[in-house]
Protein backbone atom coordinates (compact mmCIF):
# COMPACT_ATOMS: atom_id res chain seq x y z
CA UNK A 1 0.00 0.00 0.00
CA UNK A 2 2.94 2.41 0.55
CA UNK A 3 3.76 2.81 -3.19
CA UNK A 4 0.02 3.23 -3.85
CA UNK A 5 -0.30 6.13 -1.40
CA UNK A 6 2.94 7.68 -2.64
CA UNK A 7 1.68 7.76 -6.23
CA UNK A 8 -1.81 9.04 -5.33
CA UNK A 9 -2.17 11.27 -2.27
CA UNK A 10 1.59 11.54 -2.00
CA UNK A 11 1.81 13.50 -5.24
CA UNK A 12 -0.38 16.26 -3.80
CA UNK A 13 1.57 16.43 -0.55
CA UNK A 14 4.98 16.49 -2.21
CA UNK A 15 3.88 19.04 -4.82
CA UNK A 16 2.54 21.52 -2.26
CA UNK A 17 5.16 20.95 0.39
CA UNK A 18 8.16 20.97 -1.99
CA UNK A 19 9.47 17.87 -0.23
CA UNK A 20 11.96 15.67 -2.07
CA UNK A 21 11.78 12.02 -1.08
CA UNK A 22 15.32 10.65 -0.55
CA UNK A 23 14.77 7.27 -2.19
CA UNK A 24 18.48 6.42 -2.13
CA UNK A 25 18.65 6.93 1.64
CA UNK A 26 15.47 4.89 2.13
CA UNK A 27 16.89 2.05 -0.01
CA UNK A 28 20.13 2.14 2.00
CA UNK A 29 18.20 1.90 5.27
CA UNK A 30 16.02 -0.90 3.90
CA UNK A 31 19.17 -2.79 2.99
CA UNK A 32 20.47 -2.16 6.48
CA UNK A 33 17.36 -3.89 7.82
CA UNK A 34 17.40 -6.82 5.36
CA UNK A 35 21.08 -7.76 5.64
CA UNK A 36 21.01 -8.48 9.43
CA UNK A 37 17.82 -10.48 8.93
CA UNK A 38 19.51 -12.58 6.22
CA UNK A 39 22.51 -13.16 8.49
CA UNK A 40 20.18 -14.31 11.26
CA UNK A 41 18.36 -16.68 8.90
CA UNK A 42 21.64 -18.17 7.68
CA UNK A 43 22.85 -18.72 11.25
CA UNK A 44 19.54 -20.41 12.13
CA UNK A 45 19.75 -22.56 9.00
CA UNK A 46 23.42 -23.56 9.10
CA UNK A 47 24.24 -23.39 12.82
CA UNK A 48 21.04 -24.18 14.79
CA UNK A 49 22.90 -24.73 18.07
CA UNK A 50 24.64 -21.36 17.78
CA UNK A 51 21.28 -19.77 16.98
CA UNK A 52 19.72 -21.29 20.10
CA UNK A 53 22.54 -19.96 22.29
CA UNK A 54 22.31 -16.51 20.71
CA UNK A 55 18.53 -16.47 21.17
CA UNK A 56 18.87 -17.20 24.88
CA UNK A 57 21.40 -14.40 25.28
CA UNK A 58 19.57 -11.87 23.12
CA UNK A 59 16.13 -12.19 24.71
CA UNK A 60 17.05 -10.42 27.99
CA UNK A 61 19.15 -7.88 26.08
CA UNK A 62 16.22 -7.14 23.77
CA UNK A 63 13.99 -6.53 26.78
CA UNK A 64 16.53 -4.10 28.24
CA UNK A 65 16.90 -2.28 24.91
CA UNK A 66 13.13 -1.93 24.54
CA UNK A 67 12.82 -0.41 28.03
CA UNK A 68 15.70 2.00 27.32
CA UNK A 69 14.25 3.02 23.94
CA UNK A 70 10.76 3.61 25.39
CA UNK A 71 11.94 5.63 28.39
CA UNK A 72 14.54 7.79 26.64
CA UNK A 73 12.50 8.01 23.44
CA UNK A 74 9.54 9.51 25.28
CA UNK A 75 11.78 11.88 27.24
CA UNK A 76 13.68 13.04 24.17
CA UNK A 77 10.55 13.63 22.10
CA UNK A 78 8.18 15.22 24.60
CA UNK A 79 8.17 18.35 22.48
CA UNK A 80 6.45 16.40 19.70
CA UNK A 81 3.31 16.04 21.79
CA UNK A 82 2.91 19.81 21.47
CA UNK A 83 2.45 19.35 17.72
CA UNK A 84 -0.55 17.06 18.23
CA UNK A 85 -3.92 18.74 17.74
CA UNK A 86 -7.52 17.55 17.57
CA UNK A 87 -7.48 17.06 13.80
CA UNK A 88 -4.31 14.94 13.89
CA UNK A 89 -5.63 12.70 16.70
CA UNK A 90 -8.99 12.36 14.94
CA UNK A 91 -7.28 11.42 11.68
CA UNK A 92 -5.06 8.89 13.45
CA UNK A 93 -8.06 7.36 15.24
CA UNK A 94 -10.02 7.08 11.99
CA UNK A 95 -7.04 5.43 10.26
CA UNK A 96 -6.78 2.80 12.99
CA UNK A 97 -10.52 2.11 13.12
CA UNK A 98 -10.75 1.93 9.32
CA UNK A 99 -7.86 -0.55 9.34
CA UNK A 100 -9.68 -2.81 11.81
CA UNK A 101 -12.96 -2.45 9.89
CA UNK A 102 -11.40 -3.03 6.48
CA UNK A 103 -9.51 -6.14 7.60
CA UNK A 104 -12.52 -7.62 9.42
CA UNK A 105 -14.92 -6.89 6.54
CA UNK A 106 -12.56 -8.38 3.96
CA UNK A 107 -12.16 -11.51 6.08
CA UNK A 108 -15.94 -11.81 6.51
CA UNK A 109 -16.50 -11.45 2.76
CA UNK A 110 -13.92 -14.21 2.19
CA UNK A 111 -15.89 -16.35 4.68
CA UNK A 112 -13.00 -16.81 7.09
CA UNK A 113 -13.58 -18.43 10.46
CA UNK A 114 -14.09 -16.13 13.45
CA UNK A 115 -10.54 -16.64 14.88
CA UNK A 116 -9.01 -15.96 11.45
CA UNK A 117 -11.26 -12.95 10.80
CA UNK A 118 -10.36 -11.46 14.18
CA UNK A 119 -6.65 -11.99 13.52
CA UNK A 120 -6.85 -10.41 10.05
CA UNK A 121 -8.75 -7.41 11.45
CA UNK A 122 -6.20 -6.81 14.21
CA UNK A 123 -3.18 -7.31 11.93
CA UNK A 124 -4.65 -4.91 9.36
CA UNK A 125 -5.48 -2.28 11.98
CA UNK A 126 -2.07 -2.37 13.64
CA UNK A 127 0.13 -0.26 11.36
CA UNK A 128 3.90 -0.73 11.47
CA UNK A 129 4.48 2.86 12.58
CA UNK A 130 7.96 2.08 13.89
CA UNK A 131 9.44 1.70 10.40
CA UNK A 132 7.64 4.82 9.16
CA UNK A 133 8.92 6.92 12.07
CA UNK A 134 12.44 5.56 11.69
CA UNK A 135 12.64 6.25 7.95
CA UNK A 136 11.12 9.73 8.22
CA UNK A 137 13.39 10.83 11.06
CA UNK A 138 16.57 9.57 9.42
CA UNK A 139 15.93 10.49 5.78
CA UNK A 140 14.29 13.94 5.98
CA UNK A 141 15.89 17.19 7.05
CA UNK A 142 14.58 19.19 9.96
CA UNK A 143 11.96 20.52 10.51
CA UNK A 144 10.29 18.30 7.85
CA UNK A 145 11.28 15.19 9.78
CA UNK A 146 9.50 16.26 12.98
CA UNK A 147 6.47 17.58 11.12
CA UNK A 148 5.98 14.41 9.10
CA UNK A 149 6.59 12.16 12.10
CA UNK A 150 3.70 13.63 14.06
CA UNK A 151 1.03 11.58 12.24
CA UNK A 152 2.79 8.17 12.61
CA UNK A 153 3.37 8.95 16.28
CA UNK A 154 -0.32 9.79 16.71
CA UNK A 155 -1.29 6.55 14.96
CA UNK A 156 1.07 4.59 17.22
CA UNK A 157 -0.55 6.20 20.27
CA UNK A 158 -4.12 5.51 19.11
CA UNK A 159 -3.59 1.96 17.73
CA UNK A 160 -3.94 0.03 21.04
CA UNK A 161 -6.79 2.20 22.36
CA UNK A 162 -9.71 0.37 20.60
CA UNK A 163 -8.23 -3.03 21.51
CA UNK A 164 -7.76 -1.98 25.13
CA UNK A 165 -11.35 -0.70 25.35
CA UNK A 166 -12.68 -3.97 23.88
CA UNK A 167 -10.52 -5.99 26.26
CA UNK A 168 -11.81 -4.07 29.30
CA UNK A 169 -15.37 -4.41 27.98
CA UNK A 170 -14.98 -8.15 27.53
CA UNK A 171 -13.34 -8.69 30.94
CA UNK A 172 -15.55 -6.42 33.01
CA UNK A 173 -18.93 -6.53 31.25
CA UNK A 174 -19.42 -9.30 28.68
CA UNK A 175 -17.75 -12.02 30.77
CA UNK A 176 -20.36 -11.54 33.51
CA UNK A 177 -23.06 -12.59 31.06
CA UNK A 178 -21.04 -15.41 29.49
CA UNK A 179 -20.60 -13.52 26.19
CA UNK A 180 -17.37 -13.82 24.15
CA UNK A 181 -15.78 -16.16 26.68
CA UNK A 182 -14.12 -19.35 25.36
CA UNK A 183 -14.74 -22.40 27.52
CA UNK A 184 -11.17 -23.42 26.85
CA UNK A 185 -8.31 -21.45 25.36
CA UNK A 186 -7.70 -24.28 22.92
CA UNK A 187 -11.06 -23.59 21.24
CA UNK A 188 -9.39 -20.66 19.49
CA UNK A 189 -7.02 -22.93 17.60
CA UNK A 190 -8.12 -23.94 14.11
CA UNK A 191 -5.84 -26.83 13.22
CA UNK A 192 -5.84 -29.98 11.01
CA UNK A 193 -5.59 -33.65 11.99
CA UNK A 194 -4.41 -37.09 10.75
CA UNK A 195 -5.12 -40.66 11.93
CA UNK A 196 -3.62 -44.17 12.42
CA UNK A 197 -1.83 -45.98 15.22
CA UNK A 198 0.89 -45.07 17.79
CA UNK A 199 3.08 -45.72 20.79
CA UNK A 200 4.09 -44.28 24.19
CA UNK A 201 6.34 -43.76 27.24
CA UNK A 202 7.63 -46.69 29.30
CA UNK A 203 8.24 -44.63 32.40
CA UNK A 204 4.85 -42.97 32.81
CA UNK A 205 2.92 -44.55 35.64
CA UNK A 206 -0.76 -45.39 35.52
CA UNK A 207 -1.54 -42.79 38.18
CA UNK A 208 0.11 -40.00 36.18
CA UNK A 209 -1.69 -40.98 32.99
CA UNK A 210 -5.25 -41.05 34.32
CA UNK A 211 -7.44 -38.20 33.06
CA UNK A 212 -7.03 -36.03 36.15
CA UNK A 213 -3.97 -34.53 34.44
CA UNK A 214 -3.71 -32.43 31.30
CA UNK A 215 -2.35 -35.09 28.92
CA UNK A 216 -5.70 -35.72 27.27
CA UNK A 217 -8.33 -33.14 26.34
CA UNK A 218 -11.22 -32.31 28.59
CA UNK A 219 -14.60 -33.78 27.73
CA UNK A 220 -16.24 -31.28 25.43
CA UNK A 221 -19.87 -30.26 25.55
CA UNK A 222 -20.54 -30.01 21.82
CA UNK A 223 -23.09 -27.37 20.91
CA UNK A 224 -24.74 -29.62 18.32
CA UNK A 225 -25.51 -32.27 20.98
CA UNK A 226 -28.02 -30.15 22.89
CA UNK A 227 -31.03 -31.81 21.27
CA UNK A 228 -29.53 -35.26 20.68
CA UNK A 229 -30.53 -38.23 22.82
CA UNK A 230 -28.27 -41.08 23.90
CA UNK A 231 -29.33 -44.72 23.88
CA UNK A 232 -27.22 -46.32 26.62
CA UNK A 233 -24.99 -45.32 29.54
CA UNK A 234 -21.26 -44.93 29.07
CA UNK A 235 -18.53 -46.81 30.91
CA UNK A 236 -16.06 -44.23 32.19
CA UNK A 237 -13.12 -44.01 29.81
CA UNK A 238 -10.65 -43.30 32.63
CA UNK A 239 -11.51 -46.65 34.22
CA UNK A 240 -11.09 -48.47 30.89
CA UNK A 241 -7.76 -46.81 30.16
CA UNK A 242 -6.48 -47.40 33.66
CA UNK A 243 -7.16 -51.13 33.35
CA UNK A 244 -5.52 -51.33 29.92
CA UNK A 245 -2.46 -49.49 31.14
CA UNK A 246 -2.13 -51.87 34.06
CA UNK A 247 -2.18 -54.87 31.70
CA UNK A 248 0.25 -53.15 29.31
CA UNK A 249 2.75 -52.29 32.07
CA UNK A 250 2.56 -55.79 33.56
CA UNK A 251 3.17 -57.46 30.18
CA UNK A 252 5.98 -55.05 29.31
CA UNK A 253 7.72 -55.79 32.60
CA UNK A 254 7.28 -59.54 32.06
CA UNK A 255 8.94 -59.34 28.65
CA UNK A 256 11.81 -57.24 30.02
CA UNK A 257 12.43 -59.80 32.76
CA UNK A 258 12.84 -62.49 30.09
CA UNK A 259 16.11 -60.88 28.95
CA UNK A 260 18.70 -62.84 31.00
CA UNK A 261 21.68 -60.57 30.46
CA UNK A 262 22.73 -57.80 28.12
CA UNK A 263 24.47 -58.87 24.92
CA UNK A 264 26.22 -56.52 22.54
CA UNK A 265 25.36 -56.13 18.87
CA UNK A 266 26.88 -54.06 16.06
CA UNK A 267 24.62 -51.55 14.33
CA UNK A 268 26.03 -50.07 11.11
CA UNK A 269 24.46 -46.69 10.51
CA UNK A 270 24.37 -45.56 6.87
CA UNK A 271 24.13 -41.79 6.61
CA UNK A 272 24.45 -39.25 3.82
CA UNK A 273 26.90 -39.92 0.97
CA UNK A 274 27.12 -43.59 2.05
CA UNK A 275 28.89 -42.53 5.25
CA UNK A 276 28.96 -45.48 7.65
CA UNK A 277 29.26 -45.48 11.43
CA UNK A 278 29.41 -48.61 13.58
CA UNK A 279 27.69 -48.46 16.95
CA UNK A 280 27.92 -51.08 19.71
CA UNK A 281 24.46 -51.36 21.26
CA UNK A 282 22.49 -53.65 23.59
CA UNK A 283 20.66 -56.56 21.97
CA UNK A 284 16.88 -56.49 22.44
CA UNK A 285 17.08 -53.23 24.43
CA UNK A 286 18.61 -50.50 22.28
CA UNK A 287 16.39 -48.81 19.69
CA UNK A 288 17.03 -46.70 16.57
CA UNK A 289 16.22 -43.70 18.76
CA UNK A 290 19.07 -44.67 21.10
CA UNK A 291 21.39 -44.99 18.07
CA UNK A 292 20.42 -41.50 16.90
CA UNK A 293 21.26 -40.17 20.38
CA UNK A 294 24.85 -41.32 19.81
CA UNK A 295 25.14 -39.59 16.42
CA UNK A 296 23.83 -36.01 16.61
CA UNK A 297 20.93 -34.02 18.01
CA UNK A 298 19.69 -32.71 14.66
CA UNK A 299 19.34 -36.25 13.32
CA UNK A 300 17.55 -37.25 16.52
CA UNK A 301 14.96 -34.48 16.14
CA UNK A 302 14.28 -35.07 12.42
CA UNK A 303 14.10 -38.88 12.36
CA UNK A 304 10.54 -40.13 11.86
CA UNK A 305 11.03 -43.87 11.34
CA UNK A 306 14.00 -46.16 10.82
CA UNK A 307 14.97 -48.78 8.27
CA UNK A 308 16.57 -51.88 9.81
CA UNK A 309 18.03 -54.32 7.27
CA UNK A 310 15.70 -52.83 4.65
CA UNK A 311 12.57 -53.18 6.83
CA UNK A 312 10.67 -50.12 8.00
CA UNK A 313 11.04 -49.94 11.79
CA UNK A 314 9.71 -47.93 14.75
CA UNK A 315 12.17 -45.50 16.29
CA UNK A 316 11.38 -46.87 19.77
CA UNK A 317 11.35 -50.56 18.84
CA UNK A 318 14.23 -52.67 20.17
CA UNK A 319 16.80 -53.98 17.67
CA UNK A 320 17.15 -57.80 17.99
CA UNK A 321 20.48 -58.48 16.20
CA UNK A 322 23.37 -57.06 14.17
CA UNK A 323 21.99 -54.88 11.41
CA UNK A 324 22.35 -51.95 9.05
CA UNK A 325 20.38 -48.88 10.05
CA UNK A 326 19.00 -45.90 8.17
CA UNK A 327 17.11 -43.05 9.80
CA UNK A 328 14.38 -41.50 7.64
CA UNK A 329 12.93 -38.01 7.90
CA UNK A 330 9.80 -36.48 6.33
CA UNK A 331 11.54 -35.49 3.08
CA UNK A 332 13.45 -38.55 1.82
CA UNK A 333 14.71 -38.40 -1.77
CA UNK A 334 13.98 -42.07 -2.49
CA UNK A 335 10.33 -42.41 -3.71
CA UNK A 336 9.84 -45.79 -2.02
CA UNK A 337 11.10 -44.48 1.32
CA UNK A 338 8.90 -41.40 0.92
CA UNK A 339 5.83 -43.63 0.47
CA UNK A 340 6.68 -45.66 3.59
CA UNK A 341 7.29 -42.52 5.68
CA UNK A 342 4.00 -40.97 4.50
CA UNK A 343 2.06 -44.11 5.40
CA UNK A 344 3.66 -44.20 8.86
CA UNK A 345 2.75 -40.54 9.37
CA UNK A 346 -0.90 -40.97 8.35
CA UNK A 347 -1.21 -44.20 10.31
CA UNK A 348 0.06 -42.39 13.40
CA UNK A 349 -2.38 -39.54 12.84
CA UNK A 350 -5.28 -42.01 12.69
CA UNK A 351 -4.10 -43.55 15.94
CA UNK A 352 -3.93 -40.12 17.59
CA UNK A 353 -7.39 -39.24 16.28
CA UNK A 354 -8.80 -42.31 18.00
CA UNK A 355 -7.11 -41.25 21.24
CA UNK A 356 -8.71 -37.81 21.06
CA UNK A 357 -12.20 -38.90 20.01
CA UNK A 358 -12.38 -41.61 22.68
CA UNK A 359 -12.08 -39.00 25.44
CA UNK A 360 -13.69 -36.00 23.72
CA UNK A 361 -17.33 -36.53 24.71
CA UNK A 362 -19.26 -36.08 27.92
CA UNK A 363 -19.57 -39.07 30.26
CA UNK A 364 -23.17 -39.82 29.26
CA UNK A 365 -22.13 -40.50 25.63
CA UNK A 366 -20.67 -43.93 24.95
CA UNK A 367 -17.69 -43.95 22.58
CA UNK A 368 -16.44 -47.25 21.15
CA UNK A 369 -13.51 -47.20 18.72
CA UNK A 370 -14.11 -49.48 15.75
CA UNK A 371 -11.02 -49.33 13.50
CA UNK A 372 -9.21 -47.30 10.89
CA UNK A 373 -8.29 -48.34 7.35
CA UNK A 374 -4.75 -48.75 6.02
CA UNK A 375 -3.05 -45.44 5.33
CA UNK A 376 -4.01 -44.09 1.91
CA UNK A 377 -2.35 -40.73 1.29
CA UNK A 378 -4.18 -40.29 -2.03
CA UNK A 379 -7.53 -40.29 -0.23
CA UNK A 380 -6.71 -36.86 1.18
CA UNK A 381 -7.61 -37.67 4.78
CA UNK A 382 -6.80 -39.96 7.67
CA UNK A 383 -9.76 -41.81 9.12
CA UNK A 384 -11.13 -43.47 12.25
CA UNK A 385 -14.54 -45.15 12.49
CA UNK A 386 -16.21 -44.74 15.88
CA UNK A 387 -19.49 -46.00 17.33
CA UNK A 388 -21.43 -43.37 19.29
CA UNK A 389 -24.68 -44.00 21.16
CA UNK A 390 -26.26 -40.94 19.57
CA UNK A 391 -29.37 -40.54 17.46
CA UNK A 392 -29.25 -38.11 14.53
CA UNK A 393 -26.15 -36.16 15.53
CA UNK A 394 -25.10 -33.60 12.90
CA UNK A 395 -21.69 -32.19 13.93
CA UNK A 396 -21.23 -28.43 13.58
CA UNK A 397 -18.11 -26.60 12.44
CA UNK A 398 -17.55 -25.59 16.06
CA UNK A 399 -17.55 -29.28 17.05
CA UNK A 400 -14.88 -30.00 14.44
CA UNK A 401 -12.76 -27.10 15.67
CA UNK A 402 -13.02 -28.25 19.30
CA UNK A 403 -11.83 -31.76 18.41
CA UNK A 404 -9.04 -30.33 16.27
CA UNK A 405 -7.96 -28.06 19.14
CA UNK A 406 -7.74 -31.07 21.47
CA UNK A 407 -5.78 -32.95 18.81
CA UNK A 408 -3.34 -30.06 18.41
CA UNK A 409 -2.88 -29.69 22.17
CA UNK A 410 -2.20 -33.40 22.62
CA UNK A 411 0.39 -33.75 19.84
CA UNK A 412 2.34 -30.78 21.19
CA UNK A 413 2.97 -32.67 24.41
CA UNK A 414 5.61 -34.81 22.65
CA UNK A 415 4.26 -38.30 23.42
CA UNK A 416 6.33 -41.16 22.04
CA UNK A 417 4.80 -44.22 20.37
CA UNK A 418 5.61 -47.30 22.45
CA UNK A 419 5.22 -50.63 20.67
CA UNK A 420 4.49 -53.95 22.37
CA UNK A 421 3.87 -57.35 20.76
CA UNK A 422 1.54 -59.41 22.97
CA UNK A 423 -0.18 -62.77 22.84
CA UNK A 424 -3.73 -62.66 21.51
CA UNK A 425 -5.03 -63.75 24.92
CA UNK A 426 -3.44 -60.68 26.52
CA UNK A 427 -4.87 -58.47 23.78
CA UNK A 428 -8.36 -59.94 24.30
CA UNK A 429 -8.12 -59.24 28.02
CA UNK A 430 -6.90 -55.71 27.29
CA UNK A 431 -9.85 -54.96 24.97
CA UNK A 432 -12.57 -57.06 26.56
CA UNK A 433 -14.75 -53.93 26.89
CA UNK A 434 -14.62 -53.29 23.10
CA UNK A 435 -16.69 -55.75 21.06
CA UNK A 436 -15.17 -54.59 17.76
CA UNK A 437 -11.55 -55.06 18.90
CA UNK A 438 -12.39 -58.41 20.49
CA UNK A 439 -13.75 -59.58 17.14
CA UNK A 440 -10.75 -58.26 15.20
CA UNK A 441 -7.97 -59.64 17.44
CA UNK A 442 -8.22 -63.36 16.46
CA UNK A 443 -8.21 -62.40 12.76
CA UNK A 444 -5.16 -60.14 13.24
CA UNK A 445 -3.31 -62.80 15.26
CA UNK A 446 -3.65 -65.42 12.52
CA UNK A 447 -1.75 -63.13 10.12
CA UNK A 448 1.22 -62.72 12.49
CA UNK A 449 4.45 -64.69 12.15
CA UNK A 450 3.61 -66.81 15.21
CA UNK A 451 -0.11 -67.07 14.51
CA UNK A 452 -0.91 -65.74 18.00
CA UNK A 453 0.74 -62.32 18.22
CA UNK A 454 -0.96 -58.92 18.19
CA UNK A 455 0.84 -55.56 18.12
CA UNK A 456 -0.43 -52.77 20.34
CA UNK A 457 0.82 -49.21 20.70
CA UNK A 458 0.63 -46.81 23.58
CA UNK A 459 0.56 -43.00 23.40
CA UNK A 460 0.00 -41.15 26.64
CA UNK A 461 -2.70 -43.14 28.42
CA UNK A 462 -4.23 -44.41 25.17
CA UNK A 463 -3.66 -47.95 23.87
CA UNK A 464 -4.85 -49.32 20.52
CA UNK A 465 -4.15 -52.09 18.01
CA UNK A 466 -2.03 -51.50 14.91
CA UNK A 467 0.48 -53.38 12.80
CA UNK A 468 2.64 -50.22 12.64
CA UNK A 469 5.16 -48.84 12.24
CA UNK A 470 4.47 -45.44 13.81
CA UNK A 471 6.35 -42.15 13.82
CA UNK A 472 8.75 -41.46 16.68
CA UNK A 473 6.74 -38.83 18.53
CA UNK A 474 3.45 -36.97 18.39
CA UNK A 475 5.40 -33.68 18.17
CA UNK A 476 6.29 -34.58 14.56
CA UNK A 477 2.67 -33.73 13.68
CA UNK A 478 2.27 -30.05 12.85
CA UNK A 479 -0.73 -28.18 11.52
CA UNK A 480 -3.88 -30.29 11.63
CA UNK A 481 -7.66 -30.11 11.19
CA UNK A 482 -10.68 -32.32 11.60
CA UNK A 483 -12.26 -31.92 8.18
CA UNK A 484 -15.49 -33.91 8.47
CA UNK A 485 -17.54 -36.44 10.42
CA UNK A 486 -19.69 -38.69 8.22
CA UNK A 487 -22.48 -40.93 9.47
CA UNK A 488 -22.07 -44.47 8.05
CA UNK A 489 -25.06 -46.12 9.69
CA UNK A 490 -27.35 -45.67 12.71
CA UNK A 491 -24.44 -45.48 15.21
CA UNK A 492 -21.16 -45.62 13.28
CA UNK A 493 -19.45 -42.31 12.44
CA UNK A 494 -16.35 -41.79 10.29
CA UNK A 495 -14.03 -39.05 11.62
CA UNK A 496 -11.75 -37.62 8.94
CA UNK A 497 -8.81 -35.24 9.29
CA UNK A 498 -5.78 -33.87 7.50
CA UNK A 499 -2.39 -32.88 8.89
CA UNK A 500 1.08 -31.75 7.92
CA UNK A 501 4.41 -32.79 9.40
CA UNK A 502 5.80 -30.22 11.82
CA UNK A 503 8.71 -29.35 9.50
CA UNK A 504 6.46 -28.63 6.50
CA UNK A 505 4.69 -25.26 6.31
CA UNK A 506 2.23 -23.98 3.71
CA UNK A 507 0.05 -20.89 3.52
CA UNK A 508 -3.56 -20.73 4.66
CA UNK A 509 -5.04 -20.95 1.16
CA UNK A 510 -3.05 -24.06 0.21
CA UNK A 511 -4.02 -25.75 3.45
CA UNK A 512 -7.69 -24.89 2.89
CA UNK A 513 -7.47 -26.77 -0.43
CA UNK A 514 -6.20 -29.87 1.41
CA UNK A 515 -8.90 -29.41 4.02
CA UNK A 516 -11.62 -29.18 1.35
CA UNK A 517 -10.42 -32.40 -0.25
CA UNK A 518 -10.32 -34.15 3.12
CA UNK A 519 -14.03 -33.43 3.66
CA UNK A 520 -15.03 -35.95 1.00
CA UNK A 521 -16.13 -39.31 2.38
CA UNK A 522 -13.16 -41.67 2.31
CA UNK A 523 -14.19 -44.95 0.74
CA UNK A 524 -13.40 -48.12 2.71
CA UNK A 525 -15.34 -51.02 4.17
CA UNK A 526 -15.64 -50.56 7.96
CA UNK A 527 -15.86 -54.34 8.39
CA UNK A 528 -12.40 -55.09 6.95
CA UNK A 529 -10.16 -52.16 7.83
CA UNK A 530 -7.05 -53.07 9.79
CA UNK A 531 -3.76 -51.23 9.82
Amino acid sequence: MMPFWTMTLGRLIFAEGHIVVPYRNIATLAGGLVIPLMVGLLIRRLFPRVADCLAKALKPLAGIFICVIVVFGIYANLYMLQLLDTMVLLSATCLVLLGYAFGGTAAAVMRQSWPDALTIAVETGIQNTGIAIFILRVTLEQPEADINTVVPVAVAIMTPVPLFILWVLQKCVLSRFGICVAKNAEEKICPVACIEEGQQHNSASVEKLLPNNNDMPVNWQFSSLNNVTTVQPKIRIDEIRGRRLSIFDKEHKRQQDLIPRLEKIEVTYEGLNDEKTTLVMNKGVSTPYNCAQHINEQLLKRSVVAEVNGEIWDMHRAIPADCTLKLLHMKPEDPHQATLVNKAFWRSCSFLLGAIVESAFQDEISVCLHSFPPANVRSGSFVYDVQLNLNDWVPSQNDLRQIAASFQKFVRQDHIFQRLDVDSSVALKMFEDNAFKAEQIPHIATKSSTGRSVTVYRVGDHIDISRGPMIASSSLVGRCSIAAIHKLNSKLYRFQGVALPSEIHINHFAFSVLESRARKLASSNPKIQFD
Side-chain angles (χ1 to χ4, degrees), residues 125-379:
I126 296 178
Q127 310 299 318
N128 196 345
T129 54
I131 291 180
I133 295 171
F134 177 74
I135 291 178
L136 288 171
R137 294 300 298 272
V138 176
T139 58
L140 298 182
E141 299 293 338
Q142 296 294 348
E144 286 87 353
D146 283 346
I147 295 172
N148 284 277
T149 306
V150 169
V151 174
V153 169
V155 173
I157 294 172
M158 299 308 299
T159 294
V161 172
L163 298 179
F164 180 74
I165 293 173
L166 289 175
W167 179 77
V168 172
L169 182 66
Q170 190 265 329
K171 289 290 184 182
C172 300
V173 180
L174 299 182
S175 60
R176 296 184 180 180
F177 302 97
I179 303 174
C180 297
V181 180
K183 295 180 181 178
N184 188 295
E186 296 295 328
E187 293 181 26
K188 299 178 182 178
I189 301 175
C190 187
V192 182
C194 274
I195 317 174
E196 249 194 67
E197 304 175 81
Q199 164 182 349
Q200 198 236 341
H201 253 301
N202 330 356
S203 57
S205 65
V206 175
E207 291 76 18
K208 291 182 179 179
L209 292 171
L210 289 178
N212 58 354
N213 65 7
N214 294 323
D215 280 353
M216 295 303 292
V218 297
N219 292 345
W220 293 102
Q221 178 59 59
F222 296 119
S223 57
S224 57
L225 291 178
N226 293 338
N227 298 320
V228 177
T229 58
T230 59
V231 282
Q232 64 182 26
K234 173 186 177 180
I235 304 174
R236 290 186 60 84
I237 189 60
D238 55 350
E239 298 175 2
I240 294 174
R241 286 184 167 179
R243 185 178 53 78
R244 288 177 186 170
L245 287 170
S246 177
I247 298 172
F248 185 99
D249 289 338
K250 183 178 180 180
E251 176 63 18
H252 181 264
K253 184 177 183 304
R254 186 191 69 82
Q255 293 186 19
Q256 292 295 306
D257 292 341
L258 293 177
I259 303 175
R261 62 185 180 86
L262 291 179
E263 299 181 23
K264 298 299 180 180
I265 57 174
E266 289 189 357
V267 177
T268 304
Y269 167 68
E270 297 181 356
L272 296 175
N273 303 320
D274 296 326
E275 177 187 353
K276 294 186 178 180
T277 304
T278 300
L279 303 171
V280 179
M281 308 300 290
N282 294 320
K283 178 180 179 180
V285 176
S286 298
T287 66
Y289 184 86
N290 299 135
C291 295
Q293 288 178 311
H294 289 283
I295 302 173
N296 66 65
E297 185 178 358
Q298 188 67 17
L299 182 67
L300 181 69
K301 291 180 178 179
R302 293 194 67 196
S303 298
V304 179
V305 291
E307 189 178 278
V308 175
N309 290 336
E311 178 184 354
I312 198 75
W313 202 266
D314 295 277
M315 286 293 294
H316 298 282
R317 181 182 179 185
I319 302 173
D322 294 345
C323 67
T324 58
L325 172 68
K326 294 181 180 179
L327 299 175
L328 309 181
H329 53 78
M330 285 306 307
K331 299 179 181 179
E333 296 181 0
D334 182 85
H336 178 65
Q337 290 180 345
T339 300
L340 295 176
V341 170
N342 278 336
K343 287 185 175 181
F345 178 81
W346 283 61
R347 180 183 300 114
S348 303
C349 288
S350 294
F351 186 98
L352 293 169
L353 180 60
I356 299 304
V357 173
E358 190 177 47
S359 61
F361 293 82
Q362 293 287 328
D363 288 341
E364 64 269 15
I365 299 173
S366 176
V367 181
C368 188
L369 300 183
H370 185 286
S371 57
F372 56 91
N376 181 10
V377 180
R378 294 182 180 274
S379 69

Side-chain angles (χ1 to χ4, degrees), residues 100 104 107 112-124 163 166:
Y100 292 139
Q112 299 298 302
S113 64
W114 167 245
D116 287 342
L118 181 62
T119 302
I120 293 170
V122 172
E123 292 291 349
T124 307
L163 298 179
L166 289 175

Side-chain angles (χ1 to χ4, degrees), residues 410-426:
F410 184 68
V411 299
R412 288 175 178 172
Q413 293 172 347
D414 194 17
H415 296 286
I416 70 167
F417 286 79
Q418 182 181 356
R419 176 188 175 115
L420 187 66
D421 296 319
V422 302
D423 188 82
S424 58
S425 60
V426 176

